[in-house]
Amino acid sequence: MSPYTLTIMIFGIGLGTTITLMSSHWLLAWMGLEINTLAMLPLMSQHNHPRAVQATTKYFLTQATAAAMLLFASTTNAWITGEWAIQQMTSLIPLTMITMPLTLKIGLAPMHSWLPEVLQGLDLNTGLIMSTWQKLAPFALLLQIQANNPTLLITLGLLSTLVGGWGGMNQTQLRKILAYSSIAHLGWMMLILPFSPSLTLITFITYIIMTCSTFMIFEINKATNINMLATSWAKAPTLTSLTPLVLLSLGGLPPLTGFMPKWLILQELTKQELTTTATFVAMTALLSLYFYLRLSYAMTLTMAPNNLPGTIPWRLQFKSFSMPLATTTMASITLLPIMPAMSTLLKL
Amino acid sequence: MTPVHFAFSSAFMLSLSGLAFYRTHLLSAFLCLEGMMLSLFIAISLWALQLDTTGFLTSPVLLLAFSACEASAGLALLVATARTHGTDRLQNLNLFQC
């Protein structure tokens, strides 16, 4: 892809999300989502490969359908109440009709099955954009809708964490595992959205940090399935010792950053006297933890049997821009102590 | 629910169910998407006409422009799929089953 086209497309992705974030009118929000989708398509299919084209087609179909359903729901709202503003949704049926396409756009559980397949067809850089930046606009819309239906959101959240943990268990492809991990994390965010939107924001930020770190680690290792992770000790030894911590942070183990959102969410759910829901969602986190543990086992505790040729990558100098990798990795390991500051700063 | 509301809602739902359940050709999926967009065009323009909000009358045109962009992107993807997979049948989009 020529650099000029690439610049325009990346500008388009940023512009679409920004328009959606700035808008208070449903039509403008819809336009931002459309600009975002249309600018993402050439980035996804830039390597003219059958898998990339197929992933692009699936992405286009789901996103276009979701955008049309979103506009239909807001038009219905306008016909019923005469109101186009995002923050004044009062009628219950259009509210539900708007929540469903937004969850389709970010890939929550009943409408999740496009996400692993689309992510599997992309290279890791585009996958990074897909699983972080592309979630931002629909997520901002979900946060802005006031008085959403708690039963619906809790059901969606529980289903997502369950499906995300369960679906990732049988996978050997890293991008599919990351897609299921994304589904599970978004389930946690949906679960807490009716009670404390600021906790949703904290979860989203930590999810973005950890996902950026994981995608960049896999990008440096050029790894797309579990087997290819086993040679990473010869390519980047320091990174090999840090990666299990990042993965366990994604899984949510205590001294790491990923524990912070889960802790706060479980506490908030207990405060709302939803102890059954809290227990169930903590149990589904174990399912996710299983495949993160398997990834870290394959990466650090196993050695490739070919010792002599395996050391060749050691002697090569990797010229990669490592500042974002270092920042996000350290942030995804050590951010737990500043939890009070984060939860104070991010009050909505 | 007024008759106009019922008319565009049923048109939209018919196109949506066509998109969801008739899964043979990519082209028919795009036609169903186009039908959804056209029913939305009717809905928005009739809303503006019914409430006499002249300031809102540009938005149906904006909607049409965006749906045209979307349709052209879809047709480009149709060409790309035909070149890489040899056909536009949706059952050939199965490279990721594992």
Side-chain angles (χ1 to χ4, degrees), chain A residues 38-179:
Chain A
L38 290 179
M40 189 66 191
L41 295 177
L43 279 186
M44 294 170 70
S45 62
Q46 54 182 333
H47 309 293
N48 196 11
H49 192 269
R51 300 160 69 88
V53 170
Q54 179 180 333
T56 316
T57 309
K58 285 185 175 170
Y59 184 69
F60 174 76
L61 280 177
T62 50
Q63 298 295 309
T65 314
M69 282 164 68
L70 180 76
L71 195 60
F72 175 68
S74 46
T75 314
T76 310
N77 187 44
W79 271 84
I80 292 176
T81 62
E83 185 64 62
W84 280 93
I86 292 178
Q87 293 178 334
Q88 293 174 0
M89 302 281 300
T90 46
S91 186
L92 190 63
I93 297 175
L95 208 56
T96 313
M97 281 167 64
I98 277 180
T99 310
M100 295 320 270
L102 287 177
T103 56
L104 172 61
K105 264 192 175 292
I106 57 179
L108 271 177
M111 283 88 70
H112 68 283
S113 51
W114 63 272
L115 185 61
E117 305 205 344
V118 167
L119 211 56
Q120 179 65 26
L122 305 178
D123 57 350
L124 284 167
N125 285 326
T126 322
L128 175 61
I129 298 176
M130 168 70 72
S131 55
T132 55
W133 183 257
Q134 295 297 99
K135 312 266 187 214
L136 212 57
F139 210 81
L141 290 180
L142 269 177
L143 270 177
Q144 285 182 52
I145 299 173
Q146 301 289 328
N148 217 326
N149 188 356
T151 321
L152 177 72
L153 287 184
I154 288 179
T155 316
L156 285 177
L158 280 183
L159 211 59
S160 297
T161 51
L162 191 64
V163 165
W166 215 341
M169 272 190 166
N170 207 14
Q171 299 295 335
T172 54
Q173 304 285 332
L174 290 180
R175 283 166 291 185
K176 278 198 172 181
I177 288 180
L178 283 177

Side-chain angles (χ1 to χ4, degrees), chain B residues 24-55:
Chain B
T24 312
H25 289 284
L26 198 54
L27 188 60
S28 60
F30 289 142
L31 281 175
C32 288
L33 267 179
E34 209 50 34
M36 287 157 78
M37 287 324 232
L38 290 180
S39 72
L40 284 178
F41 170 72
I42 290 175
I44 291 185
S45 46
L46 283 182
W47 186 81
L49 282 180
Q50 196 160 7
L51 271 72
D52 284 336
T53 48
T54 46

